[in-house]
Amino acid sequence: VNQVMGDGIMALFGAPLAHEDHARRACYAALRMQERVGRYGDEVQRTHGVPVQIRVGLNSGDVVVRSIGSDLHMDYTAVGQTTHLAARMEQMAKPGSVLLTAETLGLAEGYVQVKPLGSFPVKGLETPVGVHELVGATSARSRLQAGAARGLSRFVGRDPEMEQLRRALSQAGAGQGQIVAVVGEPGVGKSRLFHEFIHSHHTAGWLILQATSASYGKASPYLPVTDLLKTYFQIESRDTAQPVREKVTGKILTLDEQLRVAIPPILWLLDALPDDSPLGSLGPLQRRGQTVDALRQLFLRESQRQPVALVFEDLHWVDPESQVVLDALADSIPTARVLLLTNYRPEYEDRWTSRTYYARLRVDPLPPESADALLDALLGEGATLAPLKALLKQRTEGNPLFLEESVRTLVETGALVGERGAYRLQRELRAIQVPATVQALLAARIDRLPAEQKQLLQSAAVIGTEVPLLLLRDISDQPEDAIRAALGSLQAGELLYETRLFPDPEYTFKHALTHEVAYGSLLQDTRRMLHRRVGEAMEARYGDRLGDFSESLGSHFERGGVWPKAARHYLDAALKAKDRYAYPSALRLCQHALDAAEKGEPAVEERVRSLVLLGDLWSLLGDLDQANHHYERALDAAASTGARRAIANRLHRPHSVVRDGAKIAFYEHGGGSQTILMVNPMLYGLAMFQPVLEQLGQEFRIITLDPRGTGASDPLPEQYSLRDHMEDVRAVIEEAGAAPIVGVGISRGGGLLVKLAVTYPGLVGRLVLVGTPTEFVPVPRMAEFSQALKSGDLEQAMRMFWPTVFSEPGTAALVEQAVQHSLRLPSETVLSFFAQDPERNIAPVLDQVRVPTLVIHGTADRRVPFDDARYLAEHIPGARLYPFEGSDHLPLFTATRAFCEALRQFVRTGTVPPGRDSTPRV
């Protein structure tokens, strides 16, 4: 009870430690309060004519709980929306009633009976709140029984464990008593395994007595033992002391007259011992000794009449007195027809490992095939559910409870509609919310840890899912011996795993959800401070290779509120992603850098760099409007004239020309006395030239164009040949006033420029041919490729074509980007690109080229054979051959710096850098 007001109280369940059953306990407390006050009110009404009633409101959620006071007494004050909503429920309740929110019901469902009242608006909340009246408790006594009330899901993946239980049952039935302990994490299916085993045909003829420890049970001596006795003697909750005495005495004497001495201790356990019994005057140790002996004799004698299975669940919560009973039973059963089944979480340590009749079964999360089977049963087998199933498996790591609760949450929130086993997605699934019950399970485990272990686990969660010991030691205030001891305990409890020993130890979280809950349990100020310390420790420890950790450093400094450092590290990470052609990832990282640069004190340099890089990335992704938008923002933010000029040279300045009634769009970049015209085949897209624009845009005027049927140009006419394309290029050169240009032709664009140089010699001053074929080059598996085009399966055709353009290791992202670009083009543009055109054969006109020509070709080009480059160099008068060793079809992407150096020197001097010229000598 954390607050006592004039006419009421506020009570917190789950503080200072979280408990997974806190909502259930709150409901039971509310029901008992109404019961007791109801009886008292009836008496007051009879004697004084005054009604006495109370109202109770319940809500569940996160609150900030702070200790107050300077003495050893701990008081708590809880603040937040959660407490406000609980108070609102109390205000809405009628006298004598209990109201609870849907959040509380979701945590206590199966254990309580409610009457739905509808949804009501609450001030400060955008959506109405579901309200229910609490009317009673159910008879459910375990999570499994509560789950059974909703319908148990399919039981999968536990055949080996069931076989071991059956083997132990057989041995115990033959008079060789057995102990089987089932160990596993919360939600992994320990109770379900026992349920399936107990209710199987194998246990026919066995007396099954089952009890469960509770999280609050350590303060209640013999709690699971008394539950088990009530089942054995068929004692009901409404039975008073006299019926209990009659049931216990009658059953024991019927079983064996010699067990008469066991009756008083058992009655004492059941709060039914007569006041004049000598047992009541004994000391605690003597009374406990007689009680343990009485229980041991009772169950051993019963096992002579019929085999007995004693099932004790959740021993991690067992009270000390019940543990003594279990230890005594464990010592007594090796020659009895008794099977002692227990289950518990990894943090509990039993004392029976040395017994030869003891077996310990480890229950792990479901393997992938079993998780698939469970999800098929829960969701259905529709193909459209496959992505959701993959996400759920990854999210829950095969934990059955987590799987079931996640599906249930999706159904309750309307993301899934239909019936069990036949669900369908109602809307796009952007994120899966972790069910509150699963969070509570994990939060309770973490809160029960000793303070130093909890603090270390939270610090590890701030570092990430992979936790190097060196970093953990750097940010922890604990001495190294204490850190290692705490890590040993966290490993024993299977919250952390050791994943590496050499060169330095490293740990990881057992479950992704464990990491999330541990991280989420930190207050914002503490979390921010720890992120800052992690970032500073990483900078100090990895100073010689910060680039390997740039994204992680950016994240830590961002969450730590160190904005300039966050921006710098995110920019480094974005540049690394850009170099790997991972443009979407680079875009995300660069946006983080920009966001960080715009927070706190203005970081002008980082803001400008971020905006420029965003412009470059949008250019590489083919969105010139977005690119220009970010370049213009960078122009506004730049301080110096030089910086502004450099940014302005990156802009894609749009122009257009009309030829034969059709608009051809082109773009001007940079500036200078010499103009480079970049020509690409219509399928390739302007993003192909961005690496060159970034390198050379400050030195030259560079013009690019959208071929007809692409970009901002008009669609293709019905007939469109290479000659038509050439005439469009001529119109662009004349409109731009650029003649004579240095023509750089990419792939088939080189053939177009050869024809242009021969037809209009005054327009072209120099030629650079990159990966240029002399004639039509077929695609590998041409028959299959042609069939894909013919049938309209453009995606299959593009996935066959583009790997021949980008074939070097690490270019898979480029392939995917090119495929997606092709699929965004009109289908007639794609088909026109692959149509046969006799104009593509440039061999007959090569000897007519009269301008300096540089032939650039990758030696590992899979699209156009290197022999084509040799042929061009041999047959164009004075041409120079410049091979790129190991490069594929487009070395301007895979060897950008060397490509631009060769292009720069050729444009300025007509020569090439030394050491690479392989011009054939005739």
Side-chain angles (χ1 to χ4, degrees), residues 429-730:
L429 186 65
R430 297 186 180 275
I432 291 181
Q433 297 295 320
V434 181
T437 48
V438 177
Q439 285 181 316
L441 283 168
L442 296 173
R445 281 200 68 191
I446 292 170
D447 262 356
R448 285 193 298 272
L449 294 172
E452 63 278 3
Q453 293 181 28
K454 179 181 178 181
Q455 181 184 11
L456 200 67
L457 189 70
Q458 290 172 323
S459 298
V462 171
I463 293 174
T465 54
E466 304 297 326
V467 187
L469 175 60
L470 294 176
L471 270 185
L472 190 58
R473 190 174 60 194
D474 288 344
I475 68 169
S476 176
D477 296 325
Q478 302 179 36
E480 184 162 350
D481 289 347
I483 291 174
R484 291 187 178 274
L487 284 171
S489 299
L490 292 172
Q491 285 181 269
E494 299 194 12
L495 292 167
L496 291 178
Y497 275 177
E498 191 172 53
T499 56
R500 190 176 69 183
L501 285 172
F502 182 83
D504 297 300
E506 189 169 293
Y507 300 84
T508 188
F509 280 81
K510 166 65 176 174
H511 279 297
L513 292 180
T514 304
H515 172 261
E516 290 182 19
V517 173
Y519 183 80
S521 65
L522 286 163
L523 291 176
Q524 289 288 352
D525 290 346
T526 306
R527 189 184 304 173
R528 196 159 34 243
M529 177 270 294
L530 284 172
H531 274 297
R532 189 163 55 247
R533 291 174 67 175
V534 172
E536 291 167 351
M538 291 178 70
E539 284 186 325
R541 186 165 289 282
Y542 307 129
D544 57 340
R545 51 193 182 101
L546 289 181
D548 295 343
F549 304 96
S550 50
E551 182 174 356
S552 180
L553 282 163
S555 175
H556 284 301
F557 282 122
E558 180 185 34
R559 297 181 184 194
V562 188
W563 307 115
K565 283 190 174 185
R568 287 196 292 274
H569 287 299
Y570 271 135
L571 274 170
D572 291 343
L575 287 169
K576 278 182 59 181
K578 178 174 178 276
D579 289 343
R580 296 193 304 268
Y581 316 117
Y583 302 140
S585 295
L587 206 63
R588 172 182 57 82
L589 292 165
C590 195
Q591 187 61 54
H592 278 304
L594 179 61
D595 292 343
E598 292 179 339
K599 292 179 179 176
E601 294 184 8
V604 176
E605 180 185 351
E606 284 76 16
R607 183 169 185 266
V608 172
R609 286 178 58 203
S610 300
L611 288 166
V612 170
L613 183 53
L614 283 169
D616 293 344
L617 291 166
W618 280 114
S619 299
L620 287 163
L621 289 167
D623 192 331
L624 304 191
D625 290 337
Q626 276 286 357
N628 280 343
H629 169 70
H630 287 91
Y631 288 143
E632 287 163 357
R633 289 181 63 192
L635 271 173
D636 292 339
S640 69
T641 303
R644 290 174 57 81
R645 183 185 306 113
I647 297 167
N649 283 334
R650 281 176 133 83
L651 282 166
H652 306 280
R653 302 189 292 274
H655 304 279
S656 65
V657 63
V658 176
R659 190 185 78 82
D660 288 347
K663 183 183 82 168
I664 295 87
F666 66 96
Y667 305 88
E668 185 182 7
H669 317 79
S673 58
Q674 291 176 295
T675 299
I676 300 174
L677 176 71
M678 313 285 285
V679 178
N680 62 316
M682 62 181 68
L683 195 64
Y684 279 44
L686 292 186
M688 295 296 167
F689 300 129
Q690 181 61 25
V692 177
L693 296 177
E694 293 175 23
Q695 294 275 330
L696 302 182
Q698 305 303 321
E699 306 172 46
F700 305 105
R701 179 193 186 203
I702 301 176
I703 293 177
T704 60
L705 69 149
D706 285 332
R708 263 199 261 187
T710 71
S713 292
D714 280 352
L716 286 173
E718 191 170 333
Q719 298 293 328
Y720 189 74
S721 66
L722 183 70
R723 179 170 293 277
D724 294 318
H725 192 173
M726 181 193 74
E727 291 296 335
D728 287 347
V729 172
R730 175 192 59 78

Side-chain angles (χ1 to χ4, degrees), residues 218-529:
K218 289 189 176 183
S220 303
Y222 300 105
L223 180 64
V225 174
T226 55
D227 281 350
L228 189 136
L229 289 173
K230 289 176 182 177
T231 302
Y232 179 67
F233 291 110
Q234 299 181 356
I235 294 171
E236 304 291 339
S237 58
R238 62 177 179 272
D239 286 344
T240 59
Q242 187 57 39
V244 170
R245 292 173 195 149
E246 293 171 358
K247 289 181 178 180
V248 169
T249 302
K251 189 171 183 71
I252 287 179
L253 295 180
T254 301
L255 178 64
D256 191 335
E257 280 278 351
Q258 297 182 15
L259 289 178
R260 184 180 293 274
V261 293
I263 294 175
I266 291 175
L267 290 177
W268 174 74
L269 279 176
L270 296 171
D271 289 330
L273 185 69
D275 293 339
D276 58 352
S277 172
L279 185 68
S281 62
L282 296 180
L285 289 179
Q286 290 177 296
R287 190 161 53 237
R288 183 171 74 176
Q290 290 192 24
T291 301
V292 170
D293 281 344
L295 293 169
R296 185 173 53 81
Q297 293 175 34
L298 174 66
F299 293 127
L300 289 178
R301 179 64 186 88
E302 182 64 52
S303 72
Q304 295 173 3
R305 191 169 68 91
Q306 61 181 330
V308 178
L310 302 175
V311 184
F312 286 86
E313 297 203 59
D314 294 337
L315 286 193
H316 43 275
W317 286 325
V318 72
D319 63 275
E321 286 76 11
S322 297
Q323 183 66 63
V324 171
V325 173
L326 279 170
D327 291 340
L329 288 172
D331 289 335
S332 305
I333 65 172
T335 58
R337 293 195 298 169
V338 176
L339 174 62
L340 178 59
L341 297 177
T342 68
N343 67 35
Y344 47 81
R345 297 175 185 174
E347 60 262 32
Y348 173 82
E349 295 182 10
D350 63 40
R351 309 168 187 180
W352 316 312
T353 54
S354 60
R355 274 70 165 180
T356 58
Y357 48 91
Y358 168 85
R360 190 173 189 265
L361 300 186
R362 167 77 199 197
V363 180
D364 290 313
L366 295 173
E369 59 275 11
S370 298
D372 286 335
L374 177 57
L375 286 170
D376 286 346
L378 291 171
L379 295 170
E381 301 183 11
T384 58
L385 296 170
L388 172 61
K389 292 177 182 178
L391 183 60
L392 288 175
K393 285 193 296 182
Q394 182 271 333
R395 193 79 174 76
T396 64
E397 298 183 356
N399 185 297
L401 174 64
F402 296 176
L403 282 169
E404 292 182 28
E405 291 294 338
S406 295
V407 170
R408 185 169 172 233
T409 298
L410 291 175
V411 173
E412 290 174 350
T413 57
L416 287 172
V417 296
E419 298 179 352
R420 185 175 182 145
Y423 285 120
R424 63 186 184 278
L425 280 170
Q426 178 71 4
R427 57 178 183 266
E428 183 179 354
L429 186 65
R430 297 186 180 275
I432 291 181
Q433 297 295 320
V434 181
T437 48
V438 177
Q439 285 181 316
L441 283 168
L442 296 173
R445 281 200 68 191
I446 292 170
D447 262 356
R448 285 193 298 272
L449 294 172
E452 63 278 3
Q453 293 181 28
K454 179 181 178 181
Q455 181 184 11
L456 200 67
L457 189 70
Q458 290 172 323
S459 298
V462 171
I463 293 174
T465 54
E466 304 297 326
V467 187
L469 175 60
L470 294 176
L471 270 185
L472 190 58
R473 190 174 60 194
D474 288 344
I475 68 169
S476 176
D477 296 325
Q478 302 179 36
E480 184 162 350
D481 289 347
I483 291 174
R484 291 187 178 274
L487 284 171
S489 299
L490 292 172
Q491 285 181 269
E494 299 194 12
L495 292 167
L496 291 178
Y497 275 177
E498 191 172 53
T499 56
R500 190 176 69 183
L501 285 172
F502 182 83
D504 297 300
E506 189 169 293
Y507 300 84
T508 188
F509 280 81
K510 166 65 176 174
H511 279 297
L513 292 180
T514 304
H515 172 261
E516 290 182 19
V517 173
Y519 183 80
S521 65
L522 286 163
L523 291 176
Q524 289 288 352
D525 290 346
T526 306
R527 189 184 304 173
R528 196 159 34 243
M529 177 270 294

Side-chain angles (χ1 to χ4, degrees), residues 748-804:
R748 196 187 301 166
L752 182 150
L753 286 174
V754 166
K755 293 281 185 108
L756 184 72
V758 171
T759 308
Y760 302 103
L763 296 183
V764 181
R766 285 193 174 95
L767 273 181
V768 179
L769 310 178
V770 185
T772 298
T774 58
E775 57 184 353
F776 176 80
V777 180
V779 176
R781 297 154 54 198
M782 190 64 191
E784 184 179 345
F785 175 80
S786 299
Q787 180 58 37
L789 285 180
K790 185 178 179 181
S791 64
D793 191 348
L794 296 184
E795 181 170 356
Q796 181 187 357
M798 293 303 95
R799 293 197 181 280
M800 295 174 66
F801 170 73
W802 282 109
T804 69

